[in-house]
């Protein structure tokens, strides 16, 4: 009984995580998606597809019915056996739409809805499911963070959206301008990816991933205050086509590791800043514009230190 309860508890999907389509379809008992439902680029999906194909070949050569219960099916096969009302569209699984049933047997490449969503989602930011307050700073769950307070969010289609976290926007305050890379520019992880300016002072920020810039948030370029108003949504910076995504993500902060890092950064900021900044060491309210509290020189020094661009 104890072993059964242990196995059942392992099947609970943690907050902020989602079931892999192979688990959603009931082919495997437990597997979480780590590729934002971009199955064509997923190593696990490739392996499972190959495994099922081999089993079907063995069944055919042995003259065993492919419909036999002991013969595996792909997740698409299993989904198509379900009632139509349970065939969730991938965009419903990712949370990009509230309710949508697949009308095209999961052949996304020929789906008009998929083409429409791809066109729209290239520039529109996806909803942020949950946010938590860590030491007075807001964090978006399901996002990856580098140590320079730049976030990366993998999205359907393999693209990655980039932005500044709440710690960075409060540290930088109201910006005069944001200099984003040009479309087609190649970014390198942990090297300067864009520049932020405030009243004559400027600081670079590091790219969290390797990749080619495909889209720029022109609204942000015209209205830099969007970073302060909505750092995880409307204030996103640009989108990249990653070149080493899996490798890059392993080097970023996620989940509890990211939360602990934010708490540690708050303590470092408190130690660096003047007592008059009204930063509470116990995780209380933070000032909204540290620039005004410190002045240009001190702001530039702290910004470079916490965005990890100081020499």
């Amino acid at each position: 009984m104890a072993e059964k309860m242990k196995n059942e508890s392992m099947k609970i999907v943690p907050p902020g995580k989602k079931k892999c389509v192979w688990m959603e379809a009931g082919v495997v008992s437990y597997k979480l998606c780590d590729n934002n439902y971009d199955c064509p680029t997923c190593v696990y999906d490739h392996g499972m597809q190959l495994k099922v194909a081999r089993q079907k070949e063995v069944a055919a050569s042995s003259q065993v019915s492919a419909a036999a219960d002991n013969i595996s099916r792909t997740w698409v096969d299993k989904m198509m056996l379900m009632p139509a009302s349970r065939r969730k569209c991938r965009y419903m699984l990712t949370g990009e739409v509230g309710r949508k049933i697949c009308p095209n047997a999961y052949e996304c490449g020929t789906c008009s809805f998929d083409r429409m969503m791809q066109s729209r989602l290239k520039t529109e930011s996806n909803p942020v499911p949950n946010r938590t307050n860590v030491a007075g700073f807001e964090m978006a769950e399901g996002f990856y963070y580098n140590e320079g307070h730049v976030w990366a969010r993998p999205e359907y289609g393999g693209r990655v959206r980039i932005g500044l976290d709440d710690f960075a926007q409060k540290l930088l305050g109201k910006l005069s301008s944001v200099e984003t890379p040009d479309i087609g520019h190649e970014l390198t992880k942990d090297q300067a990816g864009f520049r932020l300016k405030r009243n004559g002072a400027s600081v670079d920020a590091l790219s969290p991933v390797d990749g080619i810039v495909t889209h720029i948030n022109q609204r942000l370029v015209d209205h830099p205050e969007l970073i302060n108003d909505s750092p995880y949504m409307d204030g996103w910076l640009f989108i990249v086509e990653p070149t080493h995504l899996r490798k890059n993500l392993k080097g970023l902060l996620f989940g509890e590791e990211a939360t602990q890092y934010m708490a540690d950064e708050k303590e470092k900021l408190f130690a660096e800043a003047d007592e008059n900044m009204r930063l509470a060491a116990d995780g209380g309210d933070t000032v909204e514009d540290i620039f005004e509290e410190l002045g240009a020189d001190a702001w530039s020094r702290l910004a470079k230190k916490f965005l990890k661009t100081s020499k």
Side-chain angles (χ1 to χ4, degrees):
M1 178 65 71
E3 184 66 25
K4 180 178 179 181
M5 292 178 65
K6 179 180 178 181
N7 291 337
E8 289 297 321
S9 66
M10 292 176 62
K11 296 181 181 180
I12 297 175
V13 178
K17 298 289 187 177
K18 294 182 175 64
K19 298 178 183 177
C20 168
V21 287
W22 290 88
M23 180 181 176
E24 189 76 39
V27 180
V28 298
S29 60
Y30 192 82
K31 177 67 175 75
L32 301 179
C33 177
D34 60 0
N35 205 44
N36 207 49
Y37 294 102
D38 190 18
C39 299
T41 65
C42 178
V43 174
Y44 180 80
D45 184 78
H46 289 177
M48 289 295 292
Q49 294 284 355
L50 181 60
K51 177 180 179 181
V52 172
R54 287 174 176 171
Q55 288 184 339
K56 288 183 177 179
E57 288 178 2
V58 172
S61 63
S62 304
Q63 296 183 341
V64 177
S65 171
D69 291 339
N70 62 329
I71 302 300
S72 294
R73 296 183 175 92
T74 68
W75 68 268
V76 174
D77 295 335
K78 292 281 284 186
M79 285 288 201
M80 295 309 295
L81 292 175
M82 295 180 180
S85 60
R86 292 182 57 193
R87 299 173 195 165
K88 298 178 182 178
C89 170
R90 289 188 184 182
Y91 291 100
M92 181 179 176
L93 294 174
T94 62
E96 290 163 302
V97 297
R99 177 70 178 172
K100 175 65 177 174
I101 302 303
C102 177
N104 205 47
Y106 293 99
E107 295 182 3
C108 300
T110 61
C111 177
S112 59
F113 182 78
D114 182 81
R115 288 195 296 271
M116 181 272 290
M117 288 294 290
Q118 283 293 305
S119 177
R120 179 174 68 83
L121 293 173
K122 282 179 180 178
T123 56
E124 289 188 10
S125 182
N126 299 332
V128 178
N130 296 298
R131 303 178 196 184
T132 56
N133 186 289
V134 180
F137 299 99
E138 191 175 71
M139 298 190 72
E141 296 180 8
F143 283 40
Y144 291 83
Y145 300 83
N146 73 4
E147 294 186 351
H149 296 283
V150 180
W151 57 258
R153 188 184 193 188
E155 299 182 353
Y156 182 74
R159 63 188 181 278
V160 177
R161 197 177 300 263
I162 307 295
L164 286 175
D165 69 12
D166 189 46
F167 183 100
Q169 72 86 7
K170 285 177 177 173
L171 177 69
L172 299 171
K174 300 297 182 181
L175 297 170
S176 302
S177 65
V178 178
E179 293 183 1
T180 60
D182 295 329
I183 292 177
H185 182 78
E186 184 173 0
L187 296 173
T188 301
K189 185 178 184 297
D190 296 331
Q191 292 189 14
F194 54 99
R195 178 164 295 177
L196 308 151
K197 294 185 175 182
R198 168 90 186 244
N199 294 354
S202 66
V203 62
D204 292 329
L206 305 180
S207 174
V209 298
D210 302 317
I212 308 298
V213 177
T214 60
H215 296 83
I216 302 296
N217 187 354
Q218 190 58 49
R219 285 188 61 212
L220 176 67
V221 174
D222 297 335
H223 303 283
E225 67 274 10
L226 287 175
I227 286 182
N228 306 107
D229 298 337
S230 181
Y232 300 112
M233 289 285 291
D234 296 336
W236 62 274
L237 291 158
F238 48 86
I239 298 172
V240 302
E241 186 71 34
T243 52
H244 304 96
L245 182 58
R246 286 182 175 275
K247 177 182 177 181
N248 290 164
L249 293 184
K250 290 180 180 179
L252 297 177
L253 305 167
F254 185 84
E256 293 183 2
E257 187 179 24
T259 299
Q260 183 59 54
Y261 183 76
M262 183 68 81
D264 292 342
E265 286 288 271
K266 167 62 180 295
E267 294 301 317
K268 292 178 182 178
L269 178 61
F270 181 77
E272 287 279 344
D274 186 270
E275 293 181 359
N276 293 327
M277 286 178 60
R278 303 192 308 277
L279 289 174
D282 61 355
D285 292 337
T286 61
V287 294
E288 292 300 319
D289 192 336
I290 296 175
F291 183 95
E292 292 184 347
E293 295 286 331
L294 292 178
D297 291 340
W299 172 87
S300 182
R301 178 180 61 81
L302 279 180
K304 290 178 180 179
K305 178 171 184 175
F306 284 95
L307 269 61
K308 301 298 185 285
T309 56
S310 57
K311 303 298 184 182

